[in-house]
Amino acid sequence: MNAEVLVQAKDLHKYYPVHEGFLFRRPRFVYAVDGVNLEIRRGETFGLVGESGCGKSTLGRLILRLEEPTSGEIIFEGKRINECKKSEVRQLRREMQIIFQDPYSSLNARKTAGDTILEPFIVHHLGDRGERQQWVKKLLEVVGLHPEHYSRYPHEFSGGQRQRIGIARALALNPKLIIADEPVASLDVSIQAQVINLLKDLQDQYHLTYLFISHDLGVIKHITNRVGVMYLGKIVELGESKALFRDPQHPYTEALLSAIPVLDQTKKKKRILLEGDVPSPINPPPGCRFHTRCLYTMEACKNVEPVLKEVGPSHWVACYLRDG
């Protein structure tokens, strides 16, 4: 795998203001993404995991510039894209695409499958009418559908077929990066496997780079090269997939992995149950944000925020347990 960096996020923040009435004068914010640093290498699948509300989808949208960061830098192929003008962002759309979670709401019910996939070619003024139709029919075949599906509407497809249409739309402009935001979460398990295998085949065929966002660690283990674990807006562990799943270093990662179903009962791990709810992103706890639910909390955890430190080859963790 080529280790060249395609995308970087440097000290990335995204805060959403909370409006709570005229008399509440002190401004409050939802700390959705709070100081994230990561690199995505060309040709890899980088997994981003965490509980709902941890900020992983917001991070994906920031990288695509579907959301504007509060502060920090996003660098794509050496260029600071958060400083790009609107005309430059338009060109950037050809290089970075997204596959949405819900194949039912992400497709326009009034447009046929062909028209949905055709739209990127029209927006970017590529080809003539005949060329565009041929490209769309080819894309339908590439994702496992048939050219005759061109004129069918979304309600005539199953969930898995709709997601294939979404994948074809993302592929249309031959992007370098695809952000897959929970792309199989709403599909049946058997269909999930088909879509994941399709994504892997397309990656090899088109030399794609994926940011794969999911809460399903079983899926992440199967498809990713490296993984970042998010908790309440921050990356708490980052490393190669095999090393992270074999030997998790952060208590939060350890608890998440203990919940993965295992068929071989001799390899079954004891389930670690986290007590309490995830704290509010409006008022995150001081120090380590996980300390309110951690089994190993120390005094330092409650007061000073731990920073990511390398604890093994390309394996980083933010935890005081690993300082010594």
Side-chain angles (χ1 to χ4, degrees):
M1 182 181 65
N2 192 337
E4 180 187 352
V5 174
L6 181 67
V7 183
Q8 286 179 284
K10 291 187 174 181
D11 198 26
L12 202 57
H13 298 76
K14 180 61 181 179
Y15 301 158
Y16 295 100
V18 178
H19 304 286
E20 297 182 294
F22 178 74
L23 296 177
F24 200 97
R25 294 189 177 139
R26 185 170 65 85
R28 302 181 77 194
F29 299 92
V30 173
Y31 297 91
V33 174
D34 198 11
V36 166
N37 294 278
L38 63 81
E39 295 180 347
I40 302 173
R41 301 166 186 164
R42 192 183 299 275
E44 78 170 342
T45 299
F46 185 96
L48 201 58
V49 300
E51 293 168 287
S52 296
C54 70
K56 54 189 187 295
S57 292
T58 301
L59 179 56
R61 294 176 69 85
L62 289 172
I63 291 173
L64 284 172
R65 275 209 55 181
L66 296 176
E67 300 266 6
E68 294 296 329
T70 303
S71 63
E73 293 181 334
I74 306 159
I75 301 171
F76 181 78
E77 292 194 314
K79 185 173 184 179
R80 289 178 173 82
I81 64 173
N82 51 306
E83 298 175 356
C84 289
K85 299 176 182 178
K86 287 186 177 181
S87 59
E88 295 174 306
V89 172
R90 182 186 180 89
Q91 178 63 30
L92 189 68
R93 292 281 180 259
R94 297 180 61 171
E95 308 290 341
M96 307 164 71
Q97 290 290 315
I98 187 170
I99 302 169
F100 295 99
Q101 174 180 348
D102 188 355
Y104 295 90
S105 62
S106 63
L107 300 180
N108 189 332
R110 297 182 180 181
K111 288 188 175 183
T112 65
D115 288 339
T116 295
I117 304 169
L118 192 70
E119 190 171 14
F121 298 122
I122 296 173
V123 169
H124 290 272
H125 309 293
L126 299 176
D128 58 31
R129 183 182 180 88
E131 288 175 321
R132 291 168 182 168
Q133 289 183 342
Q134 290 303 313
W135 293 340
V136 170
K137 289 178 181 179
K138 175 64 176 176
L139 282 167
L140 285 169
E141 291 181 316
V142 164
V143 298
L145 298 174
H146 301 286
E148 54 264 32
H149 287 146
Y150 187 107
S151 57
R152 295 187 185 178
Y153 288 88
H155 73 272
E156 300 178 80
F157 294 99
S158 66
Q161 288 175 321
R162 293 186 193 195
Q163 196 60 294
R164 288 173 187 266
I165 295 169
I167 292 170
R169 176 176 57 187
L171 283 175
L173 300 176
N174 194 25
K176 295 175 182 175
L177 173 70
I178 290 181
I179 294 181
D181 188 3
E182 300 272 12
V184 297
S186 60
L187 305 178
D188 292 339
V189 175
S190 60
I191 305 301
Q192 285 184 12
Q194 294 176 22
V195 172
I196 289 169
N197 289 332
L198 171 63
L199 290 172
K200 293 178 72 174
D201 291 342
L202 292 172
Q203 183 174 39
D204 294 336
Q205 185 176 350
Y206 293 98
H207 310 292
L208 298 169
T209 303
Y210 290 140
L211 171 58
F212 197 97
I213 299 169
S214 180
H215 66 276
D216 189 330
L217 283 157
V219 172
I220 288 290
K221 183 179 182 180
H222 180 66
I223 196 172
T224 60
N225 304 105
R226 292 189 305 133
V227 179
V229 182
M230 283 193 75
Y231 185 81
L232 213 61
K234 291 186 175 290
I235 298 282
V236 297
E237 187 165 0
L238 180 65
E240 302 288 338
S241 296
K242 289 182 179 178
L244 188 142
F245 278 88
R246 182 179 64 250
D247 186 24
Q249 295 294 303
H250 197 281
Y252 178 59
T253 311
E254 190 179 14
L256 290 178
L257 296 186
S258 74
I260 300 177
V262 178
L263 294 178
D264 187 346
Q265 294 299 309
T266 63
K267 297 181 179 179
K268 190 173 182 180
K269 298 179 181 178
K270 183 180 179 181
R271 178 71 185 273
I272 300 173
L273 298 176
L274 298 177
E275 296 184 359
D277 297 323
V278 179
S280 169
I282 298 176
N283 187 29
C288 174
R289 295 190 173 179
F290 185 61
H291 84 258
T292 57
R293 305 171 73 197
C294 183
L295 300 174
Y296 314 106
T297 300
M298 301 179 287
E299 197 59 34
C301 305
K302 302 176 183 178
N303 301 304
V304 183
E305 182 182 323
V307 297
L308 281 172
K309 293 183 179 180
E310 193 168 15
V311 294
S314 300
H315 196 156
W316 300 75
V317 66
C319 182
Y320 289 118
L321 285 174
R322 310 307 173 195
D323 278 358

